[in-house]
Amino acid sequence: MNSRRKFLAGTAAGFFGAAMVSRVGAASLPEAPTRENAEMAPPLFPKTGPQYNPVVTLNGWSLPWRMNNGWKEFHLVAEPVRRQLAPGMTANLWGYNGQSPGPTIECVQGDKVRIFVTNKLPEHTTVHWHGILLPNGMDGVGGLTQPHIPVGKTFVYEFEMKHSGTFMYHPHADEMVQMAMGMMGSLIVHPRDPGFNRVDRDFAFVMAAYEIEPGAATPKVAEMLDFNLWTWNSRVFPGIDPLPVRLNDRVRVRVANLTMTNHPIHIHGHNFTVGITDGGWVPKSARWPETSADIPVGAIRAIEFVADNPGDWAFHCHKSHHVMNAMGHDVPTMIGVDHRGVAERINRLIPDYMLMGERGMADMGEMEMPLPENTLPMMSGSGPFGAMEMGGMFTVVKVREGLARNDYKDPGWYKHPAGTVAYEWKGEAPPAQRRGDAKGPAQVNVRKPGVGHKH
Ligand SMILES: [Cu+2]
């Protein structure tokens, strides 16, 4: 993280003009820390103000803040960013403070927050605080509750965090374009009592979908349904960090959905309950066990479980097309079709042409196919047993004994105790018995149905 001092100095004339920041004065505009990479930052423990148990943002970070006369002050800068979706592909997005999504904002119930928003986009914007109970004029709906933030200007939002939970922020200005470009972030309000529903590891991410044609870098913002990159915090597998957790930790994963479709988020080897929605905490008596939680569009669910089963557990969206990268959907099914020689003949005309295999598509997980610049294989990632044939909204929860309390480093692949891995049957296969084999062709008696049910 480096500071934005250069930017502040370079634009001082336009930036510290009379119209902005009236209440607090230009001199007290807080720094806007920025970040250039997609590495998962360690939890940001509070140095001042009420204590809380911070979250860890998947491939992201939390925005530092400062206290000013009882107000917690943050500074978001809306701006074009470059985001690596996974090694091999970088997208031109819009985001906040150097990255898309923007940094996670963490505060505590009862906090008075003041959020400065500077607009460095090529068009106007606003910020809406999704799920927060606040005064109408702070709600961030351009034209309805405030004038839009013009290019180059800074607006100030001030409100008290009345209830704890999991929320998000995103523009309510040219929404289709600005959200399709990646403008969003998590907003966490911790309970006043740090012991309330406490967990040992608390993760957060926002889901976004992009349509970026192979070889391009800027999303097609007019796309409504046919996206080819399904992301968690604007990353796709194998670019999404694993979630390392200590055996028997209480774990929470807060998932916000800003795509155009629902995502059934599924975990292996454990069951969970939904502990929070964007409306608040779910009472314990109203929770039931699940292994998939469907997260509707524009909604948030925080799942909670005890990580009592050691291993590397798949954690993914259960829509099979959402665990693929950059795939075209107009590929014909070739299973069972003998098309030997066809691909070779087409290849003479279109050198990189490839057909779906007649045995399925699994071969593509291993194949080293030449790809255009700046795109990702549809199925990729390799594990200790070979190709994982995944992409998109997929990662691994790594449950391990003996991790240190705040150790979020990847512990590597799970070492299975002897005799606990599925194995090949090497005995003799019994001869296949077919129905009727013993007596020759089966006899079929057909009887015409009569009137009524007697016959
Ligand atoms: Cu999905």
Side-chain angles (χ1 to χ4, degrees):
M1 267 180 254
N2 49 38
S3 82
R4 206 160 258 283
R5 264 188 218 104
K6 236 193 324 192
F7 158 64
L8 291 175
T11 57
F15 200 72
F16 294 140
M20 310 149 302
V21 204
S22 53
R23 244 174 290 190
V24 288
S28 65
L29 190 69
E31 265 187 22
T34 192
R35 198 174 163 84
E36 266 125 44
N37 62 50
E39 269 164 43
M40 182 162 81
L44 182 67
F45 286 93
K47 291 192 191 86
T48 51
Q51 288 304 296
Y52 58 84
N53 202 21
V55 300
V56 165
T57 307
L58 269 196
N59 296 99
W61 58 299
S62 286
L63 186 60
W65 41 270
R66 71 172 189 199
M67 290 305 294
N68 182 7
N69 257 328
W71 290 80
K72 206 170 254 186
E73 293 184 335
F74 298 89
H75 190 178
L76 285 177
V77 176
E79 61 186 352
V81 302
R82 304 255 307 146
R83 174 73 167 179
Q84 190 201 60
L85 302 183
M89 181 167 188
T90 298
N92 298 326
L93 302 179
W94 289 358
Y96 301 91
N97 301 49
Q99 290 287 279
S100 160
T104 298
I105 293 176
E106 290 185 79
C107 52
V108 180
Q109 181 183 16
D111 276 352
K112 289 190 292 180
V113 299
R114 180 179 290 134
I115 307 174
F116 297 79
V117 179
T118 297
N119 182 7
K120 284 185 69 191
L121 295 172
E123 66 169 0
H124 69 205
T125 190
T126 64
V127 181
H128 166 60
W129 316 98
H130 176 115
I132 302 290
L133 307 176
L134 39 57
N136 186 244
M138 294 291 159
D139 198 39
V141 182
L144 177 67
T145 66
Q146 67 164 88
H148 291 92
I149 308 173
V151 176
K153 300 290 185 185
T154 297
F155 271 47
V156 183
Y157 294 89
E158 287 174 339
F159 46 90
E160 190 187 325
M161 291 299 186
K162 289 209 158 52
H163 68 327
S164 63
T166 309
F167 311 103
M168 56 187 165
Y169 63 89
H170 61 78
H172 234 292
D174 193 13
E175 236 178 287
M176 183 195 85
V177 168
Q178 296 194 6
M179 301 229 280
M181 288 296 285
M183 299 196 72
M184 54 194 71
S186 298
L187 172 49
I188 311 294
V189 186
H190 295 282
R192 198 78 194 169
D193 167 11
F196 178 77
N197 282 328
R198 190 187 173 91
V199 292
D200 302 295
R201 299 205 178 210
D202 202 335
F203 298 91
F205 62 89
V206 187
M207 299 189 282
Y210 301 104
E211 170 64 16
I212 303 176
E213 278 172 24
T218 304
K220 240 171 92 186
V221 294
E223 183 54 57
M224 183 176 158
L225 293 170
D226 194 13
F227 298 93
N228 64 1
L229 291 155
W230 300 95
T231 71
W232 286 358
N233 257 26
S234 296
R235 293 281 283 185
V236 293
F237 184 78
I240 302 176
D241 284 326
L243 285 69
V245 304
R246 190 166 52 162
L247 185 65
N248 296 320
D249 268 352
R250 276 202 67 80
V251 181
R252 177 181 294 132
V253 189
R254 311 178 191 237
V255 189
N257 182 3
L258 283 175
T259 72
M260 305 286 214
T261 187
N262 60 313
H263 301 280
I265 300 301
H266 177 60
I267 193 169
H268 295 202
H270 295 80
N271 51 31
F272 59 70
T273 62
V274 171
I276 317 177
T277 76
D278 30 341
W281 295 90
V282 179
K284 291 240 159 88
S285 60
R287 301 183 189 185
W288 61 85
E290 290 278 16
T291 69
S292 293
D294 194 32
I295 309 192
V297 179
I300 303 168
R301 300 285 181 268
I303 64 164
E304 294 176 3
F305 61 96
V306 176
D308 56 4
N309 197 356
D312 287 340
W313 299 106
F315 179 57
H316 60 97
C317 174
H318 216 292
K319 286 188 175 174
S320 50
H321 285 232
H322 294 180
V323 288
M324 298 273 116
N325 288 331
M327 76 174 286
H329 291 104
D330 45 6
V331 182
T333 297
M334 300 301 283
I335 295 170
V337 177
D338 181 355
H339 55 272
R340 273 170 289 185
V342 174
E344 286 76 359
R345 266 180 282 154
I346 296 175
N347 265 323
R348 278 180 232 143
L349 297 168
I350 311 163
D352 290 338
Y353 182 80
M354 188 180 152
L355 277 175
M356 178 199 270
E358 65 195 50
R359 301 172 302 166
M361 292 171 97
D363 294 347
M364 297 180 75
E366 284 176 332
M367 198 177 290
E368 287 294 313
M369 213 177 113
L371 291 170
E373 290 271 296
N374 201 43
T375 190
L376 295 165
M378 189 172 88
M379 298 152 81
S380 92
S382 55
F385 298 104
M388 284 159 77
E389 305 170 355
M390 287 283 147
M393 295 174 159
F394 179 94
T395 188
V396 180
V397 175
K398 299 190 168 186
V399 183
R400 295 288 189 283
E401 236 169 334
L403 294 187
R405 180 163 285 280
N406 284 303
D407 184 4
Y408 289 86
K409 280 194 309 288
D410 184 347
W413 298 116
Y414 182 60
K415 291 183 181 58
H416 301 84
T420 65
V421 175
Y423 57 96
E424 182 187 353
W425 166 251
K426 287 194 173 141
E428 211 145 295
Q433 283 269 332
R434 283 182 206 285
R435 198 163 161 247
D437 269 1
K439 298 180 219 134
Q443 293 250 318
V444 181
N445 295 314
V446 180
R447 192 169 48 160
K448 262 179 131 176
V451 180
H453 298 282
K454 285 201 294 276
H455 310 288

